[in-house]
Amino acid sequence: AVGGPGIEPGSVWFQSQMNPSLSSFNPALCPDGDNGMVRLAGCTHRSCKLEVLHEKHWGSVCDDGFGGENARVVCQSLGYSGHRAAALRQLTGGSGKIWLDDVKCKGNEESITLCHHNGWGFHDCSHQKDVGVCCQRLQRK
């Protein structure tokens, strides 16, 4: 092994070092995540673009009314703590489908897709209003 468990070529950590777009192990970036229905991608030090899967296509979420409660649901659904989850409004540069708008979570939902929203694909947004989320990293003990 090269440097202990998890450092072997082919491990997630090793691949993250070879592919800077994987932010899970870069402490300077918000952590990414993907549970098969919701993902955080294109991460920066401020946020990751929130995307949801519907009809086999990934699409963005509009930032209208998107706040901390929604961000907490996203982070918890990806295995992160909801504590200090943050939403970044007016994230730009998106393309493709815009799936959700006017999302309102109560906080007990298992996924952002289960929160109240206008319906899949119904929105009055452009990609200038895509929402980003930054989750708090889990601290290793």
Side-chain angles (χ1 to χ4, degrees):
V2 180
I7 311 299
E8 304 87 8
S11 72
V12 174
W13 180 89
F14 190 83
Q15 292 303 316
S16 74
Q17 300 309 301
M18 301 291 108
N19 183 357
S21 68
L22 294 175
S23 65
S24 295
F25 299 97
N26 184 340
L29 301 178
C30 292
D32 57 9
D34 184 337
N35 66 14
M37 181 65 115
V38 175
R39 72 181 179 189
L40 297 176
C43 301
T44 68
H45 67 285
R46 295 180 62 212
S47 73
C48 303
K49 181 181 176 187
L50 173 60
E51 297 181 333
V52 294
L53 185 66
H54 182 65
E55 296 179 347
K56 300 182 183 179
H57 295 281
W58 289 99
S60 60
V61 177
C62 185
D63 69 5
D64 292 346
F66 201 98
E69 200 65 48
N70 296 354
R72 281 188 284 283
V73 169
V74 168
C75 293
Q76 289 173 338
S77 76
L78 294 171
Y80 295 106
S81 167
H83 181 68
R84 292 192 340 198
L88 177 69
R89 299 178 70 158
Q90 296 183 341
L91 188 69
T92 60
S95 63
K97 301 275 188 188
I98 299 174
W99 279 131
L100 298 178
D101 188 13
D102 293 322
V103 178
K104 293 176 184 65
C105 297
K106 295 176 184 173
N108 60 346
E109 296 89 350
E110 291 183 19
S111 173
I112 193 79
T113 60
L114 300 175
C115 299
H116 181 270
H117 55 79
N118 285 352
W120 290 98
F122 291 96
H123 63 85
D124 59 356
C125 298
S126 70
H127 285 293
Q128 300 299 312
K129 295 181 73 181
D130 286 349
V131 74
V133 172
C134 190
C135 302
Q136 180 183 13
R137 290 183 182 281
L138 299 175
Q139 299 297 319
R140 293 188 179 159
K141 296 183 179 187

